[in-house]
Amino acid sequence: MPTPRRTQVAIIGAGPSGLLLGHLLHRAGVDNVILERRSAEYVLGRIRAGVLEQTTVDLLEETGLGARMRREGLVHDGVELSFGGARHRIDFVALTGKRVTVYGQTEVTHDLMDARRAFGGETVYEALDVALHDFDGVTPRVTWHDARGEHVLDCDFIAGCDGYHGVSRAGVPAASIETYERVYRFGWLGILSDTPPVSPELIYSNHARGFALCSMRSPTRSRYYIQCSIDEHVDQWSDDAFWDELRRRLDPHAAETMVIGPSIEKSIAPLRSFVAEPMRFGRLFLAGDAAHIVPPTGAKGLNLAVADVRYLANALIEALAERSNAGIDHYSERCLRRVWKAERFSWWFTSLTHRFPETGAIGQKLQRAELDYLVSSHAASTAMAENYVGLPFEDS
Ligand code: RFL
Ligand code: PHB
């Protein structure tokens, strides 16, 4: 067996959760190593989240990651809801005093990778067959192999930041974990294109043909999604077919003014609500998509991951530097309170905006009544806005 090396926190996964955790721990002087199954290029090539809550932006700013986001991020004061051929604006600033920032997950990941490189933090990319051992005792260890051979890493704690398909959650005995899941019968077909966004703010559209979302990455780069069947394959959708279908699902003004162009990325994402409880197993902690998934309607996934990591970093720092277990003992419960509220919001917003064939005509009538209520009631608009911009944090 190779000679074990040692670190304080072994982090599995170099997505936004793992990289941000490594960053926060490093700033507090806590030694950590990140193990990532893929290459750095692969991780950066995944097109995912686009919308950051104010608390996410604040955390990135406070920890020295804000420079490019400040320059390139697009601050949005509201969103639009489209139904019945018209658009209705939800004004976040008027309703909550808060805003959101459009800044892609790819850019956040890029900034985190740059920061890690600058302080010399270790990330092992293309780490294969990562396995977690003895996290229910006091001397956890992680093993893997790569092009250089077999490796063993002893540590004080393991952070499972390896997403929904990772090994961390899968390594927990079934009797110790409870999971809750709903898989939707539809997905989102998304494209990225170097065309100016159709509107300065996001448009969430409820249409008889299915949901559509107009989002963006910059003033010259658009991100659009349409609800599609889960059985469809992305190759069945030419760019022209996508643009035609998108325009059919928007109000006449958006349909007429939309600038179209070749796609630079096109993919189908399934929709799922999922929570694993608890999020701590001895010296193993799950964070981000490893512990929970929300459907993307409402843009909560990345923000929830950041919220977990904020709690986890503080808890681990307390445990390692101050020898106090208070944070780690409350980690799971604290996270899950926020997680379930985000699950509720994402489920509600998905239910309100997508086509569910099984609910029939009455389902559509009820959606329409709820949308009318949402845009005409100050109380209902405020509830939507406060969830979208991000619920306040309990003390971390
Ligand atoms: P990630 O990003 O999945 O990263 C996990 C990392 O772990 C690695 N890994 C392993 N490493 C070592 N050994 C193993 N055995 C491993 N198995 C896996 C993986 O390669 C990967 O690098 O999870 P993380 O860090 O928790 O981040 C979560 C976010 O990525 C996710 O919640 C968001 O992207 C969700 N999401 C959105 N969230 C938002 O807050 N706002 C949005 O606007 C938003 N839009 C979206 C989204 C997700 C989407 N898709 C495709 C799922 C839009 C879409 C279309
Ligand atoms: C995105 O820009 O990718 C995006 C925006 C809002 C969502 C989901 C995804 O609700």
Side-chain angles (χ1 to χ4, degrees):
M1 189 167 86
T3 319
R5 293 175 44 211
R6 225 198 115 67
T7 189
Q8 288 177 292
V9 182
I11 301 174
I12 319 300
S17 302
L19 286 166
L20 181 61
L21 181 63
H23 182 74
L24 300 181
L25 293 177
H26 166 76
R27 284 173 56 87
V30 174
D31 186 49
N32 62 84
V33 174
I34 303 183
L35 305 173
E36 164 61 48
R37 183 174 54 165
R38 305 285 194 169
S39 67
E41 297 68 42
Y42 183 94
V43 171
L44 278 176
R46 292 190 294 227
I47 311 296
R48 287 187 168 178
V51 179
L52 306 181
E53 294 174 359
Q54 189 60 52
T55 50
T56 300
V57 170
D58 291 346
L59 180 69
L60 298 176
E61 295 257 11
E62 284 157 21
T63 59
L65 295 162
R68 195 160 68 97
M69 180 176 63
R70 249 188 324 268
R71 280 198 314 273
E72 297 177 15
L74 306 172
V75 176
H76 284 196
D77 294 352
V79 287
E80 296 202 281
L81 300 177
S82 166
F83 56 94
R87 276 196 252 160
H88 308 261
R89 183 161 186 266
I90 304 285
D91 185 332
F92 297 152
V93 174
L95 294 163
T96 69
K98 295 184 185 159
R99 308 170 151 83
V100 293
T101 297
V102 173
Y103 188 64
Q105 178 167 331
T106 313
E107 310 314 322
V108 175
T109 308
H110 215 294
D111 296 344
L112 283 161
M113 282 179 173
D114 285 351
R116 192 163 179 87
R117 208 173 298 119
F119 68 68
E122 182 178 357
T123 310
V124 180
Y125 286 99
E126 301 182 82
L128 300 177
D129 295 327
V130 170
L132 284 50
H133 310 273
D134 302 332
F135 52 81
D136 47 351
V138 289
T139 53
R141 61 173 39 183
V142 181
T143 56
W144 74 97
H145 68 86
D146 61 17
R148 290 176 299 134
E150 304 286 327
H151 305 271
V152 180
L153 184 64
D154 287 340
C155 56
D156 296 308
F157 296 105
I158 303 175
C161 301
D162 48 350
Y164 179 71
H165 299 286
V167 285
S168 301
R169 192 184 69 251
V172 172
S176 310
I177 193 166
E178 196 80 56
T179 58
Y180 303 85
E181 183 165 41
R182 167 181 297 174
V183 180
Y184 293 82
R185 291 201 209 157
F186 45 78
W188 279 17
L189 168 64
I191 70 163
L192 196 62
S193 77
D194 277 330
T195 51
V198 65
S199 180
E201 292 178 340
L202 271 60
I203 307 172
Y204 288 88
S205 176
N206 173 311
H207 190 272
R209 297 180 67 91
F211 169 79
L213 169 61
C214 303
S215 182
M216 64 194 71
R217 289 292 177 272
S218 76
T220 56
R221 182 167 284 188
S222 299
R223 179 74 167 151
Y224 295 112
Y225 298 97
I226 55 175
Q227 178 183 355
C228 66
S229 157
I230 203 65
D231 309 317
E232 282 173 280
H233 195 270
V234 67
D235 300 339
Q236 293 167 272
W237 282 90
S238 66
D239 287 359
D240 285 345
F242 180 92
W243 292 116
D244 286 348
E245 187 57 37
L246 175 65
R247 283 185 292 197
R248 283 195 197 107
R249 298 183 187 189
L250 301 176
D251 63 281
H253 180 69
E256 276 158 31
T257 53
M258 171 158 302
V259 179
I260 65 171
S263 63
I264 50 177
E265 195 264 358
K266 196 190 289 162
S267 54
I268 294 180
L271 266 67
R272 179 190 306 276
S273 301
F274 173 84
V275 181
E277 289 189 353
M279 290 169 59
R280 176 199 179 181
F281 309 88
R283 287 175 170 261
L284 166 65
F285 299 83
L286 302 180
D289 280 14
H292 40 73
I293 298 284
V294 287
T297 335
K300 289 286 154 240
L302 173 60
N303 293 293
L304 263 192
V306 169
D308 290 354
V309 165
R310 172 188 158 121
Y311 285 133
L312 183 55
N314 288 344
L316 293 174
I317 293 162
E318 258 176 56
L320 288 161
E322 298 159 27
R323 305 258 158 229
S324 158
N325 281 349
I328 58 176
D329 287 345
H330 289 111
Y331 170 71
S332 182
E333 178 208 324
R334 259 187 186 157
C335 289
L336 285 165
R337 270 207 298 277
R338 194 175 178 87
V339 166
W340 278 111
K341 287 182 196 136
E343 291 284 350
R344 185 209 68 82
F345 176 66
S346 309
W347 157 80
W348 169 80
F349 202 23
T350 303
S351 311
L352 188 60
T353 49
H354 289 65
R355 195 52 61 237
F356 291 80
E358 65 276 18
T359 62
I362 189 170
Q364 291 194 35
K365 288 282 190 187
L366 290 169
Q367 272 187 343
R368 181 58 190 270
E370 187 158 1
L371 283 162
D372 275 340
Y373 173 62
L374 174 60
V375 298
S376 59
S377 154
H378 190 264
S381 303
T382 307
M384 188 277 182
E386 73 173 353
N387 278 278
Y388 197 99
V389 299
L391 293 174
F393 259 95
E394 295 174 26
D395 267 9
S396 47

